[in-house]
Amino acid sequence: MTRSEAQSNPKWVQLVRAVAIMAIVFDHAIYPNISVNHVSETLYIVTNWWDIPLLFIIGGVAITPIARTWAAFWHFVVQRLVPILGTYLASGALLVLASHFIHQDSWRYTGYFFLRLLYGGQTLDGDLTLMWLFTVYLLTVLIVTLLVSWVDSPAIQVFIALAMFALSVMYGTIGFLHFQYMPWGADLVLMTTLWMISGYYVYQNWDKMQFGRFYATAGLVIYGIMVYCRYEWGLNFELVLKEHHIKTPYMAAFVPLFMTLAIGIVCYWLAKKTLV
């Protein structure tokens, strides 16, 4: 997200993004303990249900249709996509260099790390573990923007996103040429498109939504029940987007959506309270 987007978004949207970032940091902080502690394992899994999807869903807020001209498309690429790509390459390069000196890696290994940065996606690990988000986010913004700009019917747009999601859960991993993973994690966009376009339309109709407290309460109660079921009985649902590790695919479609709605309503209420 660029600085101008942050300034134009309401405070409650920025608060939702903060929740997502804190959840991702929390997830990675407890990850070393998941193999020895059942509570940590449960917290890691149940947070993964929505923390990464939340970033893509709330990313729909910043989607704006563009005119059906090459000039408008090029302006969109320069204004929206190039800054994301620049941040990815610059921050990734700094992390690779920092890793070289901190871990005293060989220059050969560091050079190989730079190649992996260019290829991106699931090949990134270690200090670059989270960098896959940049390229998948960039590609999702591109696809969703084209959908809402070039396909007139919202119903058809959502149908395409649902079809992409259905396709994404029909395989484990997909390679590219002789490589194990797709460059830039491009296949993950099949899933993230549904989440981002859902965020786009929910935000477009946010002011029309009624019974917000009921939705928030219901969503958090259902989530609490699912967390308890996971802890006590090992509820068969996992969602690790980067690794394309998905159990119970239909739950992967709706659990992130109703959790984001609940979190959004709570953040909206908190933002209003702090502004009074």
Side-chain angles (χ1 to χ4, degrees):
M1 180 180 64
T2 63
R3 180 179 298 181
S4 61
E5 289 170 0
Q7 292 172 344
S8 62
N9 286 330
K11 289 185 179 296
W12 69 269
V13 173
Q14 298 180 44
L15 185 56
V16 174
R17 283 197 175 93
V19 170
I21 293 170
M22 289 188 293
I24 293 170
V25 171
F26 171 76
D27 239 7
H28 283 76
I30 65 174
Y31 179 76
N33 299 321
I34 64 174
S35 60
V36 295
N37 188 294
H38 184 52
V39 174
S40 296
E41 178 192 25
T42 302
L43 289 174
Y44 176 79
I45 291 173
V46 301
T47 308
N48 259 311
W49 291 349
W50 55 268
D51 58 355
I52 297 294
L54 177 56
L55 283 178
F56 289 93
I57 295 170
I58 203 64
V61 171
I63 296 295
T64 303
I66 60 175
R68 300 178 183 180
T69 65
W70 283 112
F73 177 74
W74 180 247
H75 182 266
F76 158 74
V77 169
V78 172
Q79 293 296 317
R80 288 296 314 275
L81 303 186
V82 170
I84 299 175
L85 180 60
T87 301
Y88 169 73
L89 293 174
S91 57
L94 288 174
L95 285 173
V96 171
L97 289 174
S99 177
H100 170 81
F101 292 108
I102 293 173
H103 302 297
Q104 297 183 340
D105 298 325
S106 67
W107 281 110
R108 181 177 181 180
Y109 179 81
T110 300
Y112 175 63
F113 224 153
F114 273 112
L115 291 177
R116 280 195 287 162
L117 176 66
L118 295 176
Y119 195 86
Q122 294 96 324
T123 64
L124 300 177
D125 56 12
D127 296 326
L128 296 183
T129 295
L130 282 174
M131 296 301 295
W132 67 273
L133 274 169
F134 283 84
T135 54
V136 177
Y137 188 88
L138 182 155
L139 293 173
T140 308
V141 169
L142 171 62
I143 295 300
V144 174
T145 300
L146 291 178
L147 271 178
V148 300
S149 302
W150 290 78
V151 179
D152 292 326
S153 170
I156 296 178
Q157 295 168 14
V158 174
F159 175 80
I160 292 173
L162 283 169
M164 292 172 64
F165 190 92
L167 179 62
S168 73
V169 298
M170 293 174 62
Y171 65 89
T173 57
I174 184 170
F176 176 74
L177 298 179
H178 64 280
F179 297 102
Q180 183 179 3
Y181 302 111
M182 290 285 288
W184 282 20
D187 61 305
L188 301 179
V189 178
L190 292 171
M191 293 190 70
T192 57
T193 295
L194 175 63
W195 294 330
M196 187 171 287
I197 202 168
S198 297
Y200 170 78
Y201 277 110
V202 169
Y203 184 68
Q204 295 296 312
N205 297 278
W206 186 263
D207 293 335
K208 302 176 184 177
M209 187 175 63
Q210 299 179 354
F211 311 113
R213 291 185 179 181
F214 169 79
Y215 294 140
T217 303
L220 294 175
V221 168
I222 293 172
Y223 177 69
I225 293 172
M226 292 177 63
V227 170
Y228 181 80
C229 290
R230 175 70 199 189
Y231 179 80
E232 289 290 342
W233 305 303
L235 176 68
N236 188 32
F237 175 43
E238 293 184 35
L239 175 59
V240 183
L241 184 60
K242 179 184 177 183
E243 305 301 331
H244 201 272
H245 181 64
I246 307 161
K247 291 184 178 179
T248 318
Y250 73 91
M251 293 178 68
F254 74 81
V255 171
L257 295 178
F258 81 68
M259 272 303 297
T260 298
L261 180 61
I263 293 171
I265 293 170
V266 172
C267 290
Y268 179 76
W269 179 77
L270 289 174
K272 287 184 64 176
K273 288 296 181 180
T274 56
L275 291 175
V276 173

